[in-house]
Amino acid sequence: MNTQPSESRKQRSARRSGEFPPPPEPLAVPVFDSHTHLDITVHEAGVPEAGGDPVEALITAAAKSGVDRLVQVGVDVASSRWGAELAARHPAVLATVALHPNEAPTLADLDEALREIETLAAEPRVRGLGETGLDTFRTGAAGRPAQERSFRAHIAIAKRYGKPLIIHDRDAHADVLRVLDEEGAPDVVVLHCFSGDAEFAAECVRRGYLLSFAGTVTFASAAQLRAAAALTPPDQLLVETDAPYLTPVPFRGRPNASYLIPVTVRALAEITGHDLDTLCAAISANGDRIFGPWR
């Protein structure tokens, strides 16, 4: 969950109103959404089609657009448990579990919450620890020690269970790399909603990390993100919605959902110069490699 660049009051109102964009042209080669929040989407924005189970409606809408698999991402104990339970019963969904970096400093008992996250991490269809990391934009100096302690604990859990680490990094690039170096990074590290420039991207690529790009890469103000995407090798590139946030242009400000992944992945194909179908196949293969089989 990363709402940068900041949304205006008007954009937040439109997202909450449930005014979902029309479905894009479906992808010929299926791809997956590497980071979505189905629970938050239903709570804040509703669903693109009325009737039936709202979560199932979002998954079905995605499949119709050629987005055949989703990674449901936890941000606290409750959402992590919800995601683990959804993934256990739905073949198109895998889950990750974590305490969001802005959540950790607010907890009365951080250690107990971390123990609950570790218990969930053992579930077979929980395939990652995230989103965890550092955020100096929303968390002030007083909360940063707890935030960093939580981040270090998630790194340790990811390594114990051999699962990917999904990082939320907002205005904290150097500190994220510092902590990863001090703790030793897990085998797989994903920079969710990549927000750095080309120099930071090159350093992450050099370290073997995967960079996941959201709708922000389509924003007019995001030239640095496009430069970062352009130098990311296909085998280290992912695409995500971070739904219901970060809806791509031309629908910025309206609610996001996994069925809109084709808008962002088409932009990435243009930015990187790769054939769309080839890029989709590469992203899909990356998902199978780092998260394991969905079914």
Side-chain angles (χ1 to χ4, degrees):
M1 182 174 59
N2 190 333
T3 55
Q4 64 179 6
S6 297
E7 294 176 299
S8 69
R9 182 179 300 176
K10 181 178 179 181
Q11 288 169 334
R12 288 194 298 271
S13 177
R15 176 164 53 76
R16 287 194 299 266
S17 73
E19 298 168 4
F20 280 90
E25 180 183 352
L27 296 169
V29 175
V31 74
F32 80 109
D33 184 350
S34 74
H35 192 115
T36 190
H37 303 282
L38 291 164
D39 51 338
I40 301 174
T41 303
V42 169
H43 182 262
E44 291 199 6
V47 291
E49 298 176 4
D53 177 81
V55 172
E56 191 65 41
L58 288 167
I59 296 170
T60 298
K64 289 179 179 177
S65 285
V67 183
D68 62 348
R69 293 159 293 156
L70 314 175
V71 179
Q72 164 65 24
V73 175
V75 295
D76 55 22
V77 171
S79 66
S80 294
R81 186 178 296 116
W82 184 90
E85 291 170 355
L86 174 66
R89 68 177 186 268
H90 205 296
V93 179
L94 294 177
T96 70
V97 299
L99 308 176
H100 191 280
N102 293 327
E103 172 78 5
T106 72
L107 297 172
D109 191 339
L110 176 57
D111 289 333
E112 175 59 26
L114 287 167
R115 283 192 288 271
E116 293 195 50
I117 291 299
E118 178 154 13
T119 297
L120 291 169
E123 295 290 328
R125 289 185 64 79
V126 170
R127 301 289 176 81
L129 275 294
E131 58 187 283
T132 182
L134 300 174
D135 186 323
T136 63
F137 180 81
R138 295 193 182 278
T139 294
R144 288 175 193 166
Q147 190 177 87
E148 186 166 317
R149 182 160 69 89
S150 177
F151 184 28
R152 291 178 186 274
H154 283 80
I155 292 171
I157 295 168
K159 291 196 291 186
R160 277 197 292 275
Y161 288 87
K163 295 187 177 182
L165 183 74
I166 292 82
I167 293 178
H168 170 109
D169 162 26
R170 188 163 189 188
D171 294 355
H173 306 327
D175 283 333
V176 163
L177 295 183
R178 171 182 59 81
V179 173
L180 287 170
D181 287 345
E182 290 172 358
E183 295 295 323
D187 290 340
V188 178
V189 173
V190 176
L191 275 297
H192 137 67
C193 187
F194 186 82
S195 60
D197 58 14
E199 182 179 1
F200 182 58
E203 178 60 26
C204 291
V205 166
R206 185 187 69 79
R207 291 163 175 255
Y209 302 162
L210 288 95
L211 281 55
S212 183
F213 292 91
T216 43
V217 78
T218 70
F219 294 0
S221 60
Q224 68 171 17
L225 290 184
R226 289 186 282 277
L231 61 79
T232 304
D235 64 353
Q236 290 178 256
L237 190 148
L238 299 174
V239 63
E240 65 172 86
T241 55
D242 198 21
Y245 312 105
L246 306 182
T247 313
V249 172
F251 306 116
R252 186 179 181 184
R254 297 169 71 176
N256 202 3
S258 296
Y259 76 93
L260 293 170
I261 278 282
V263 179
T264 302
V265 79
R266 286 188 171 102
L268 284 171
E270 183 174 343
I271 291 162
T272 60
H274 296 299
D275 171 76
L276 175 62
D277 290 353
T278 302
L279 183 61
C280 286
I283 291 172
S284 186
N286 293 340
D288 287 339
R289 185 179 78 251
I290 67 174
F291 291 112
W294 261 254
R295 295 173 174 84

